[in-house]
């Protein structure tokens, strides 16, 4: 997708503070953080949202979670805890229509959500 913001970040056409990138996923800092640690974990393949996931994408989804775990460990928030959020569609406030997972941590999270 040529006009997708996240696709442009993956291709490094738009500057971003990338924490990790491999052939499947990219992890970068959110430009409007809501927690001391606020990262976005995205598949390098353009998938619009969870509702667009296909059976062949299962490995990619697993790598999103593996990247979250690895990144949380490297940032020292694995033991204290962190939150993973995936917004799916307009009613969930998905703003960028490229599947992405928010990793939030570094402080006590408030509850309930929503």
């Amino acid at each position: 997708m040529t006009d997708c913001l996240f696709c442009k970040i993956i291709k490094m056409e738009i500057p971003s503070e990338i924490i990790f990138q491999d052939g499947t996923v990219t992890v970068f800092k959110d430009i409007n953080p809501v927690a001391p640690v606020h990262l976005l974990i995205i598949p390098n393949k353009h998938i619009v949202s969870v509702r667009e996931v296909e059976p062949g994408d299962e490995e990619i989804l697993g790598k999103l979670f593996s990247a979250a775990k690895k990144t949380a460990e490297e940032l020292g928030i694995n033991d204290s805890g962190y939150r993973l959020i995936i917004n799916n569609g307009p009613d969930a406030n998905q703003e960028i229509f490229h599947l992405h997972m928010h990793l939030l941590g570094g402080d006590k999270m408030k509850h309930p959500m929503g």
Side-chain angles (χ1 to χ4, degrees):
M1 190 159 253
T2 58
D3 62 338
C4 173
L5 175 68
F6 288 173
C7 288
K8 290 179 179 181
I9 289 172
I10 291 163
K11 295 176 188 171
M12 298 185 186
E13 294 173 358
I14 293 176
S16 183
E17 198 167 338
I18 294 177
I19 304 297
F20 172 79
Q21 186 173 46
D22 67 12
T24 307
V25 300
T26 299
V27 180
F28 58 96
K29 289 188 176 183
D30 192 297
I31 60 169
N32 295 310
V34 298
V37 174
H38 187 171
L39 305 175
L40 297 173
I41 303 167
I42 64 174
N44 293 345
K45 175 185 175 185
H46 183 83
I47 303 171
V48 172
S49 66
V50 174
R51 69 181 177 273
E52 303 293 328
V53 169
E54 300 173 349
D57 296 329
E58 292 173 0
E59 184 177 343
I60 294 169
L61 299 180
K63 292 199 177 207
L64 292 177
F65 283 92
S66 295
K69 178 181 183 267
K70 177 183 176 192
T71 303
E73 289 170 346
E74 290 175 356
L75 295 175
I77 61 171
N78 193 52
D79 292 337
S80 61
Y82 54 94
R83 183 173 289 164
L84 298 174
I85 300 170
I86 298 174
N87 298 319
N88 186 53
D91 284 354
N93 292 325
Q94 182 179 2
E95 295 176 0
I96 307 292
F97 288 89
H98 182 124
L99 178 66
H100 57 285
M101 177 186 295
H102 296 260
L103 186 154
L104 305 170
D107 201 0
K108 182 98 169 145
M109 298 283 114
K110 293 184 169 81
H111 194 73
M113 295 176 14

